[in-house]
Amino acid sequence: APQELDLLTRVTTRFQEDYAATPADARALLEVGDAPDDAVEDPSRVRDLASFTLLAGILLCRDEALMKN
Protein backbone atom coordinates (compact mmCIF):
# COMPACT_ATOMS: atom_id res chain seq x y z
CA ALA A 1 0.00 0.00 0.00
CA PRO A 2 1.24 3.52 -0.73
CA GLN A 3 1.00 4.52 2.94
CA GLU A 4 3.20 1.61 4.01
CA LEU A 5 5.75 2.44 1.33
CA ASP A 6 5.80 6.06 2.47
CA LEU A 7 6.30 5.00 6.08
CA LEU A 8 9.12 2.60 5.20
CA THR A 9 10.81 5.30 3.11
CA ARG A 10 10.62 7.77 6.00
CA VAL A 11 11.91 5.17 8.48
CA THR A 12 14.85 4.32 6.21
CA THR A 13 15.68 8.00 5.80
CA ARG A 14 15.61 8.39 9.58
CA PHE A 15 17.96 5.42 10.02
CA GLN A 16 20.33 6.93 7.45
CA GLU A 17 20.29 10.29 9.22
CA ASP A 18 20.91 8.68 12.60
CA TYR A 19 23.79 6.57 11.28
CA ALA A 20 25.28 9.57 9.46
CA ALA A 21 25.44 11.27 12.86
CA THR A 22 26.79 8.17 14.64
CA PRO A 23 28.95 6.23 12.15
CA ALA A 24 30.48 4.11 14.92
CA ASP A 25 27.03 2.70 15.65
CA ALA A 26 26.56 1.79 11.99
CA ARG A 27 29.94 0.08 11.94
CA ALA A 28 29.12 -1.79 15.16
CA LEU A 29 25.90 -3.14 13.65
CA LEU A 30 27.74 -4.42 10.60
CA GLU A 31 30.30 -6.20 12.76
CA VAL A 32 27.63 -8.46 14.29
CA GLY A 33 27.29 -11.98 12.94
CA ASP A 34 29.35 -14.71 11.39
CA ALA A 35 30.40 -12.74 8.33
CA PRO A 36 31.11 -9.15 9.40
CA ASP A 37 31.42 -6.62 6.61
CA ASP A 38 34.64 -4.99 7.79
CA ALA A 39 35.90 -4.49 4.23
CA VAL A 40 33.53 -1.58 3.64
CA GLU A 41 35.42 1.70 3.92
CA ASP A 42 33.03 4.27 2.44
CA PRO A 43 31.08 5.88 5.34
CA SER A 44 27.97 6.40 3.20
CA ARG A 45 27.98 2.70 2.26
CA VAL A 46 28.36 1.70 5.91
CA ARG A 47 25.46 4.02 6.77
CA ASP A 48 23.28 2.55 4.01
CA LEU A 49 24.09 -1.08 4.83
CA ALA A 50 23.27 -0.54 8.50
CA SER A 51 20.04 1.29 7.61
CA PHE A 52 18.91 -1.43 5.21
CA THR A 53 19.76 -4.08 7.82
CA LEU A 54 17.29 -2.46 10.20
CA LEU A 55 14.73 -2.07 7.41
CA ALA A 56 15.05 -5.78 6.57
CA GLY A 57 14.41 -6.60 10.22
CA ILE A 58 11.23 -4.54 10.16
CA LEU A 59 9.99 -6.23 7.00
CA LEU A 60 10.79 -9.73 8.25
CA CYS A 61 8.92 -9.14 11.52
CA ARG A 62 5.68 -8.21 9.76
CA ASP A 63 2.81 -10.68 9.97
CA GLU A 64 2.81 -10.98 6.19
CA ALA A 65 6.37 -12.32 6.31
CA LEU A 66 5.56 -14.81 9.06
CA MET A 67 2.12 -16.07 8.07
CA LYS A 68 0.97 -17.66 4.88
CA ASN A 69 -2.75 -17.66 4.11
Side-chain angles (χ1 to χ4, degrees), residues 5-6 10-12 15 19-22 31 34-35 39 43 45-47 49 51 53 55-56 59-61 64 66:
L5 181 58
D6 180 56
R10 286 186 285 128
V11 166
T12 302
F15 291 152
Y19 282 134
T22 58
E31 290 176 355
D34 291 335
R45 182 156 162 74
V46 170
R47 178 202 67 209
L49 287 172
S51 298
T53 298
L55 178 62
L59 293 173
L60 291 172
C61 287
E64 290 86 352
L66 300 173

Side-chain angles (χ1 to χ4, degrees), residues 24-62:
D25 290 345
R27 172 61 62 195
L29 178 63
L30 297 182
E31 290 176 355
V32 173
D34 291 335
D37 196 357
D38 56 356
V40 177
E41 299 292 329
D42 181 11
S44 65
R45 182 156 162 74
V46 170
R47 178 202 67 209
D48 289 345
L49 287 172
S51 298
F52 294 142
T53 298
L54 293 183
L55 178 62
I58 289 171
L59 293 173
L60 291 172
C61 287
R62 294 179 42 87

